[in-house]
Amino acid sequence: MKRVIPAFICSLAICAAIACAVVVFMRFSGLIDNILSPGKSSVNNRESKITVVIDPGHGGTDGGAVGVSGILEKDLNLEVGTLLAGELTRRGFDVIMTRTDDVMLDNGSSSSAKVSDLSARLEIVRSCENPVFVSIHMNKFPDSSVNGFTVYYSSNNPDSELLAAAVRQSVTDSVQPENKRPMKAAGNSIFLLSRLTSPAVLLECGFLSNQREEALLSDPEYREKLVCAISDGIENFINRGSSGSKV
Ligand SMILES: [Zn+2]
């Protein structure tokens, strides 16, 4: 009996050590996280397959819209796009940007500079295996009272409308509860959305022709709040899954 008890205690110690090792392994391999957070696991399983392509519109000699106080759309697009790329990366997504500097792109074709720029952006998206495309722009309108975030979506993939709805919902919930602007299907006039077959949206983040909205978009704190809401929408879309095989 004297020998049985130490042997029993010894066996218990070995079992406990093995159990600890298994728990440590599961913790570091993410298995426990996935078991405890099944919703999150779907993101983790998917994120390696998805590349979120952030496209800050315009750049270089193409300044885009000019705000009432003279601010250039291309600069705000790059600010918002860079923030968005950083936030999505922090959340664990694979992200690339079509531009990270104040430049127009060039795909080497003999087309006009604008077509060459847009074609180069198109090629970047198409080079990704499983892209989710988010183009960042600022709006302008002759009536300076018009304001508000607006989402355009590509008609080439039903997931684009789901992505647009998720982003619009998140932005109206968190940033612009008074925004009644409906999301819109992009026509052929939007070069990239009319050509891409992956989930693709273009976000008009606000009207630079509206003094109040231009001031908001020039405020780093507001931009961070907006980017957080856009990121929530993109993450909700990816979590929700899709009806097609693209995501
Ligand atoms: Zn633009």
Side-chain angles (χ1 to χ4, degrees):
M1 191 63 183
K2 277 181 182 173
R3 287 190 177 179
V4 170
I5 290 172
F8 176 67
I9 291 170
C10 190
S11 299
L12 271 181
I14 291 169
C15 286
I18 291 171
C20 279
V22 169
V23 167
V24 167
F25 168 75
M26 290 177 75
R27 180 70 188 85
F28 281 98
S29 65
L31 288 173
I32 284 182
D33 289 345
N34 288 351
I35 291 164
L36 295 178
S37 313
K40 194 70 182 169
S41 75
S42 68
V43 174
N44 290 339
N45 290 339
R46 290 166 181 278
E47 69 194 15
S48 62
K49 301 177 195 163
I50 294 170
T51 301
V52 183
V53 183
I54 308 293
D55 174 49
H58 312 282
T61 54
D62 174 16
V66 181
V68 281
S69 76
I71 198 160
L72 294 178
E73 180 193 353
K74 65 172 184 175
D75 295 330
L76 285 180
N77 292 343
L78 188 56
E79 292 276 358
V80 171
T82 304
L83 267 183
L84 182 59
E87 177 62 20
L88 290 172
T89 301
R90 196 185 63 74
R91 297 184 187 201
F93 293 96
D94 292 335
V95 179
I96 62 169
M97 295 177 72
T98 55
R99 72 174 175 99
T100 54
D101 296 306
D102 181 19
V103 292
M104 274 191 101
L105 305 187
D106 180 359
N107 79 335
S109 70
S110 55
S111 312
S112 71
K114 183 66 181 171
V115 171
S116 178
D117 171 71
L118 292 171
S119 300
R121 294 172 199 247
L122 192 61
E123 285 166 14
I124 290 170
V125 188
R126 285 178 173 163
S127 71
C128 298
E129 191 181 339
N130 202 1
V132 168
F133 179 75
V134 181
S135 192
I136 305 294
H137 285 257
M138 308 288 152
N139 226 333
K140 187 172 183 173
F141 197 67
D143 179 352
S144 63
S145 68
V146 175
N147 67 89
F149 185 89
T150 316
V151 187
Y152 291 85
Y153 59 91
S154 167
S155 302
N156 299 334
N157 183 320
D159 285 345
S160 297
E161 191 171 354
L162 295 179
L163 172 60
V167 173
R168 186 189 178 281
Q169 185 70 50
S170 177
V171 171
T172 50
D173 284 352
S174 309
V175 187
Q176 296 183 359
E178 76 293 347
N179 188 330
K180 301 278 185 277
R181 299 182 68 80
M183 56 187 198
K184 298 172 182 173
N188 289 335
S189 60
I190 301 184
F191 185 98
L192 292 170
L193 296 193
S194 68
R195 286 163 176 79
L196 287 170
T197 54
S198 50
V201 293
L202 185 147
L203 311 180
E204 294 282 5
C205 295
F207 284 79
L208 299 184
S209 42
N210 179 281
Q211 198 161 19
R212 182 179 168 274
E213 197 151 46
E214 187 203 36
L216 280 173
L217 289 161
S218 303
D219 175 8
E221 240 176 77
Y222 178 81
R223 285 200 296 262
E224 272 185 33
K225 198 175 165 191
L226 184 63
V227 159
C228 196
I230 295 169
S231 302
D232 288 346
I234 294 169
E235 188 168 357
N236 288 341
F237 163 74
I238 292 172
N239 267 334
R240 173 180 178 159
S242 70
S243 55
S245 59
K246 282 283 178 186
V247 174

